[in-house]
Amino acid sequence: MSFSSKLNISDLVAIDVHVHLEAQDEATATDSAAKKYFGDSGASRDPKALAEYYRARKMAFVIFAVDEKLTGRQRVTNEEVIQFAADNSDVAIPFCSIDPHRGEQGLQEARRLVSQKLVRGLKLHPPIQQFSPDDKMAYPLYEIFAEVRLPVVFHTGHSGIGTGMPGGGGVRLKYGNPMPIDDVAVDFPDLPIIMAHPSFPWQDEAISICLHKPNVYIDLSGWSPKYFSPTLIQYANSRLQTKVLFGSDYPFIAPDRWIADFEKIAIREEVRPLILKENAVKLLGLAGMH
């Protein structure tokens, strides 16, 4: 079995590169704090409702979970993500998540998922998985994805998860600094890298890395566009117009809200379709899926 996409690219109006498959139980303190931070998006965590939400809007999306033990939240496995994508292959593109601390066991899982073509990329969250992206511990994991040129998404910047909790829920924000990702981009020039989120408070660092390294991209998830910095808007409109991607952070932020706010910011008309769809089509290798 390998992931068989039924995407019809020409029919799509957008591709959301940042969607979480979340456990439906929101009973943990971490979930409650996240809802307080992000506000109640109204987005359903029910898998069927999630797929229908995007289908109704003619959007495809990259779907993943986060492999971590820090927050105590209910784990969603890579197998569940893959099954969800198989059940909704007209809209969903599966990425796996593997905690680099899992060592050889995690590497074996990554090799299997990649060799069987069950996933199209890797999602990492350094602040919650508690590692720095340039830690050599993680390099064998990157090698697996670099070899087949599948993208790796790194959470960057502030973490909504843990905000307002005692001790930030144990989440260390230093791991969200994007600068260590520059080392990864140097050491793995064939590895497509997506720095997730406007990287507050290191937005200029993220822009510099993206500008300097051909294999690095920025997704715009996790923030309403009305909060984007003028510098981010300036570069998205110009030097980085082919390297910036639409992402929502569903269910924390719903695409309806993101798109509505995106329409109000000063992005040039010819750049909007690049951000919403075309850049993702190229990066994810989706061209030719009609």
Side-chain angles (χ1 to χ4, degrees):
M1 175 188 169
S2 64
F3 173 67
S4 177
S5 176
K6 295 187 176 69
L7 294 177
N8 188 330
I9 296 300
S10 57
D11 281 354
L12 297 174
V13 299
I15 298 174
D16 184 341
V17 301
H18 202 106
V19 174
H20 292 262
L21 187 62
E22 293 277 308
Q24 293 183 62
D25 177 17
E26 300 177 44
T28 69
T30 305
D31 281 308
S32 299
K35 186 171 276 192
K36 188 173 180 182
Y37 172 75
F38 286 105
D40 188 351
S41 68
S44 173
R45 295 182 176 216
D46 174 68
K48 199 168 284 188
L50 190 167
E52 282 305 323
Y53 180 101
Y54 282 88
R55 203 170 275 127
R57 288 157 180 78
K58 294 191 172 180
M59 293 182 189
F61 57 95
V62 169
I63 186 85
F64 45 68
V66 179
D67 179 16
E68 56 91 10
K69 294 177 180 174
L70 177 66
T71 67
R73 303 166 87 215
Q74 188 179 330
R75 172 90 195 280
V76 175
T77 67
N78 290 324
E79 254 54 43
E80 289 173 281
V81 171
I82 290 163
Q83 187 59 57
F84 170 87
D87 292 342
N88 299 281
S89 59
D90 58 321
V91 286
I93 302 161
F95 276 33
C96 63
S97 180
I98 291 174
D99 185 340
H101 291 99
R102 285 172 55 198
E104 185 56 37
Q105 180 207 26
L107 295 177
Q108 286 178 8
E109 182 177 356
R111 289 189 199 102
R112 178 178 63 81
L113 296 177
V114 168
S115 66
Q116 294 178 8
K117 299 185 177 178
L118 293 171
V119 296
R120 300 294 295 266
L122 173 69
K123 158 68 174 180
L124 297 172
H125 196 308
I128 291 178
Q129 292 171 324
Q130 306 182 85
F131 77 103
S132 181
D134 61 354
D135 190 327
K136 295 298 190 289
M137 163 192 72
Y139 272 40
L141 188 57
Y142 304 154
E143 285 169 8
I144 293 168
F145 290 83
E147 191 176 335
V148 289
R149 303 195 178 204
L150 289 178
V152 175
V153 179
F154 289 93
H155 171 100
T156 65
H158 186 83
S159 173
I161 303 299
T163 292
M165 298 179 70
V171 176
R172 300 176 193 272
L173 294 179
K174 66 181 179 181
Y175 294 134
N177 188 327
M179 281 312 295
I181 295 171
D182 187 63
D183 278 355
V184 180
V186 171
D187 295 336
F188 295 92
D190 293 330
L191 176 67
I193 294 169
I194 302 172
M195 296 187 291
H197 317 310
S199 303
F200 174 83
W202 302 286
Q203 185 61 76
D204 289 354
E205 286 88 333
I207 288 169
S208 175
I209 297 164
C210 192
L211 190 62
H212 195 259
K213 301 298 188 292
N215 55 322
V216 178
Y217 299 76
I218 291 172
D219 91 33
L220 299 173
S221 66
W223 292 74
S224 162
K226 68 182 176 183
Y227 299 120
F228 291 173
S229 75
T231 314
L232 179 57
I233 293 172
Q234 173 193 338
Y235 276 90
N237 264 331
S238 55
R239 302 287 297 276
L240 298 182
Q241 64 180 259
T242 62
K243 301 186 78 187
V244 172
L245 309 157
F246 160 50
S248 67
D249 215 7
Y250 186 108
F252 305 107
I253 293 178
D256 283 355
R257 174 189 174 192
W258 195 100
I259 297 281
D261 287 344
F262 184 65
E263 287 171 355
K264 296 171 189 166
I265 66 172
I267 297 292
R268 289 168 26 210
E269 285 308 310
E270 64 270 27
V271 175
R272 289 178 184 273
L274 299 178
I275 293 174
L276 289 173
K277 176 182 168 183
E278 300 306 329
N279 294 342
V281 169
K282 288 181 183 173
L283 176 59
L284 299 173
L286 304 177
M289 292 185 181
H290 301 299

